[in-house]
Amino acid sequence: MGGTAIALTLFAGMLALMAIRVPIALAMLLPGAIGYVALAGWPPFSNYLKGLAWARLANYDLTVIPLFLLMGAFATQGGLSRSLFAAASALLGHLRGGLAMAAVIACAAFGSVCGSSVATAATMAKVALPEMMRHNYSGRLATGTLAAGGTLGIMIPPSVVLVIYGILAEQNIAKLFAAAILPGLIATAGYCLAIAVYVRLFPGHGPASERVGLGHLGRAMIDVWPIATIFLIVFGGIYGGWFTTTEAASIGAAATFLAALLRGELTRPKFFECFYDTAVTTGMIFMIFLGADIMNAALALSQFPAALSGFVRELGVPPVAVVAGILAFYVVLGCVMDELSMILLTLPIFLPTIVGLDLFGLPPDQKLIWFGILVLMVVQIGLIAPPVGLNVYVINGLAKNVPIAESYRGAVPFLITDLMRTTLLLAFPPISLWLVKVLVP
Amino acid sequence: MTFDDPVGRTLEALAKLLAVIGGLALTGVALMSLYSVVMRNLVGAPIQGDFELAQMGCAVSVAAFLPFTQLRNGNVFVDFFTQRASARTKAALDGLGALVVGLALGLIAWRTGVGGLDAVRNQETTMIMGLPIWYGYAVMTPSIAVASAAAFYGAWRHWALREVAESEERS
């Protein structure tokens, strides 16, 4: 049996295990282990396992993941989302669909201290959902907005997905974050626009509320300064060259802890909840890492990634079409698979192909940064697209009496802007790469 | 989720303890980095080898987080293909999944333990601070072993409670 045949068998085994609810990490680990032993024998595999946990867990670049998660947990448990939404709705609430726009903007701002999409969606929903319902917003618009808004958590840096991409693609995380800023802002503007158009077409879904007084607006604005300060320190420090991403994550976590403490909402049980939340998510991510590591080690032994790269080059398809094809493949795969596992599993296979393509004459590292942003867009789409949009599930679970089909319908306007933006970023790499050149010369 | 048997309660207490230890280790890494950054930018004297401490702390905390993840069923899985299956079938499959997790983590714990003994024998240390690497292994190995035990316990629970899942579905 040739290497490619073995690789395909491993994939088939993985998909079969996934279909019967075996955790994704193990659905990758098991065929990977069998493939490794089949290709190289037991002694090398047993030797490889000895160092696996240390190699994966004691990695300086990876320390940012639990640290950013801890920072997000402090922000979530500390109730920072409440002041953000209060400020944004004081500003926009009087517009038709204004509370929904406020939720989107608050999500974007919360995304600047939180690197996870589900956490952003869920924490904002607890604040914004009751408020929107009280102002007679339709369940469709309210849940759709929050599900989509939550994805800004991984678009606006820090972003756990981008950190993972950066580690796999061996790219500078500070550069990846810089590349995500403009697309993140475009996404925020696009979502607000989608809401504006939607409430114009279907006015009943998002009625305007009363305008608030200037004093109230001022107080609400003052309340958000800690979050702005944290964002400025963390990213000012990274791009000012004062500290590394890991240090930035450390400082961000410490500062967010302080901000949460000063708000007086971080009680002792909530403090422990921060650790527990961080533990579950970190454990989940590293389990997938371990599984993907073993699967990818086996795939590397089969030399499948190199074979695929050569095959694609010889096809003679235009390079941008190849990239578009990979993205489309991700959207389809994302329908049945968790997005994080998807990129951990597939990137080591696809990256050699991407590096081998001539894309707008970009040098390899710029190509990989640009591709990273595109992958991020696709992950984001997967989080709100049917049949399994994780964010839609989470928000729908929090909203009583809103059928899941309504929530998916509510996500459609946002999905349309997602597709438009992804196409835009695919066609014009400078949108992603320009800020990288400015911030990280 | 509440655990009403002694094994479950013990594992839960152990997993929570480890999660808090991991969280404190992570907080330690954060404070250490903060101190190092301040010292570097103000006095030009960072902690030499601070990244090695961060690395070690990260290994310790992530491993310590694993048991809690297992106990909370924190692993991601695909339920797309089994949406129509009965609660009983799902519980049985989840039990099987957890069993596989337990076996794999057990294997990794065993090999990591052996790797740790190698690190002791070869006196492996970090580059700058000269910290013995086996310190990390000494925390990682038991943590992964507890995670494995938690997964086995989860497998048993899914299997034992599949009747309950079925009756809950009916009601």
Side-chain angles (χ1 to χ4, degrees):
Chain A
M1 195 149 69
T4 304
I6 290 181
L8 294 177
T9 314
L10 296 184
F11 276 123
M14 178 191 82
L15 289 174
L17 288 171
M18 274 181 200
I20 57 163
R21 301 169 73 94
V22 170
I24 290 179
L26 271 297
M28 295 195 275
L29 191 148
L30 215 56
I34 294 171
Y36 199 121
V37 174
L39 286 160
W42 169 256
F45 181 62
S46 117
N47 213 30
Y48 163 77
L49 279 184
K50 277 199 293 193
L52 174 71
W54 177 257
R56 189 36 93 193
L57 270 47
N59 178 321
Y60 185 69
D61 289 327
L62 279 183
T63 53
V64 277
I65 295 176
L67 285 167
F68 273 137
L69 288 172
L70 186 64
M71 176 175 169
F74 284 140
T76 306
Q77 296 285 350
L80 298 189
S81 51
R82 188 165 302 120
S83 33
L84 285 173
F85 182 68
S89 58
L91 206 60
L92 296 169
H94 61 281
L95 300 174
R96 202 189 284 161
L99 286 180
M101 293 179 202
V104 165
I105 288 172
C107 279
F110 194 77
S112 71
V113 287
C114 179
S116 133
S117 146
V118 173
T120 303
T123 186
M124 203 50 76
K126 276 178 207 143
V127 189
L129 208 51
E131 200 65 8
M132 283 198 264
M133 291 307 193
R134 203 164 60 82
H135 287 89
N136 295 320
Y137 273 56
S138 69
R140 183 190 297 182
L141 180 64
T143 53
T145 301
L146 286 162
T151 64
L152 295 170
I154 52 165
M155 291 208 56
I156 310 273
S159 158
V160 171
V161 174
L162 272 186
V163 171
I164 291 171
Y165 178 87
I167 289 159
L168 290 174
E170 296 176 346
Q171 291 304 306
N172 183 328
I173 289 162
K175 285 187 181 172
L176 280 165
F177 282 175
I181 293 176
L182 267 187
L185 293 177
I186 295 175
T188 312
Y191 285 175
C192 288
L193 201 67
I195 294 166
V197 171
Y198 192 79
V199 292
R200 187 156 284 269
L201 294 176
F202 311 98
H205 284 274
S209 16
E210 63 289 358
R211 191 186 281 274
V212 299
L214 267 181
H216 178 93
L217 179 65
R219 272 194 306 280
M221 283 303 176
I222 290 170
D223 228 24
V224 297
W225 73 263
I227 298 149
T229 314
I230 294 169
F231 181 76
L232 286 178
I233 294 176
V234 169
F235 290 96
I238 293 180
Y239 297 117
W242 290 305
F243 36 80
T244 65
T245 353
T246 299
E247 288 162 349
S250 297
I251 292 164
T256 312
F257 167 69
L258 267 183
L261 205 62
L262 289 178
R263 282 182 58 89
E265 286 193 33
L266 199 63
T267 54
R268 192 184 300 241
K270 280 192 175 176
F271 179 69
F272 283 114
E273 271 313 304
C274 292
F275 283 170
Y276 297 150
D277 287 354
T278 310
V280 172
T281 317
T282 307
M284 176 213 53
I285 292 176
F286 279 79
M287 284 296 287
I288 299 174
F289 257 120
L290 290 174
D293 273 349
I294 294 181
M295 182 73 169
N296 282 316
L299 288 176
L301 284 174
S302 77
Q303 304 193 321
F304 178 68
L308 181 71
S309 169
F311 174 72
V312 169
R313 246 193 323 245
E314 276 163 27
L315 272 182
V317 179
V320 176
V322 175
V323 177
I326 292 178
L327 297 179
F329 171 76
Y330 275 152
V331 172
V332 174
L333 192 59
C335 287
V336 294
M337 200 173 168
D338 160 68
E339 279 71 24
L340 204 63
S341 328
M342 179 176 86
I343 65 167
L344 277 167
L345 174 70
T346 57
L347 277 179
I349 304 165
F350 285 148
L351 287 177
T353 304
I354 298 293
V355 174
L357 291 174
D358 174 31
L359 292 159
F360 305 102
L362 293 171
D365 62 327
Q366 289 192 20
K367 237 182 323 203
L368 287 176
I369 286 175
W370 169 65
F371 185 65
I373 301 302
L374 292 174
V375 169
L376 184 63
M377 297 301 133
V378 179
V379 168
Q380 194 194 10
I381 291 174
L383 285 168
I384 56 171
V388 268
L390 188 54
N391 274 18
V392 179
Y393 264 107
V394 171
I395 298 301
N396 189 264
L398 292 171
K400 306 275 176 303
N401 310 325
V402 180
I404 186 89
E406 275 294 288
S407 296
Y408 276 121
R409 224 165 273 146
V412 169
F414 302 100
L415 272 172
I416 295 172
T417 70
D418 280 345
L419 290 174
M420 284 162 57
R421 185 178 60 256
T422 310
T423 315
L424 193 71
L425 295 173
L426 179 65
F428 302 103
I431 302 176
S432 311
L433 296 172
W434 174 71
L435 210 54
V436 181
K437 281 180 202 139
V438 175
L439 288 175
V440 198
Chain B
M1 194 190 290
T2 50
F3 298 98
D4 35 25
D5 55 299
V7 181
R9 275 198 301 269
T10 314
L11 276 173
E12 190 188 26
L14 206 55
K16 279 192 164 174
L17 177 70
L18 279 169
V20 171
I21 291 175
L24 291 174
L26 199 59
T27 312
V29 168
L31 294 175
M32 187 271 308
S33 299
L34 182 63
Y35 176 78
S36 190
V37 167
V38 171
M39 291 305 280
R40 186 175 65 223
N41 287 302
L42 287 186
V43 213
I47 301 175
Q48 291 296 324
D50 50 357
F51 67 93
E52 292 177 354
L53 281 177
Q55 220 165 288
M56 185 84 77
C58 177
V60 165
S61 66
V62 173
F65 286 159
L66 288 177
F68 195 73
T69 309
Q70 301 313 320
L71 217 58
R72 284 271 170 105
N73 292 323
N75 293 313
V76 228
F77 62 94
V78 175
D79 67 353
F80 180 67
F81 300 101
T82 42
Q83 277 165 343
R84 301 254 164 80
S86 69
R88 193 189 161 91
T89 313
K90 283 185 198 167
L93 287 173
D94 289 344
L96 178 74
L99 185 69
V100 180
V101 175
L103 287 171
L105 284 175
L107 176 70
I108 295 175
W110 166 47
R111 296 316 299 168
T112 306
V114 176
L117 292 179
D118 283 0
V120 174
R121 197 171 319 120
N122 302 333
Q123 298 182 328
E124 280 177 65
T125 55
T126 61
M127 298 281 273
I128 295 173
M129 295 190 114
L131 280 174
I133 288 195
W134 68 264
Y135 287 5
Y137 277 91
V139 184
M140 278 192 328
T141 310
S143 299
I144 302 173
V146 175
S148 163
F152 280 126
Y153 171 75
W156 168 78
R157 222 178 125 85
H158 277 301
W159 184 252
L161 294 182
R162 67 195 193 287
E163 317 281 328
V164 182
E166 190 176 29
S167 63
E168 268 175 13
E169 188 186 44
R170 288 219 181 105
S171 64

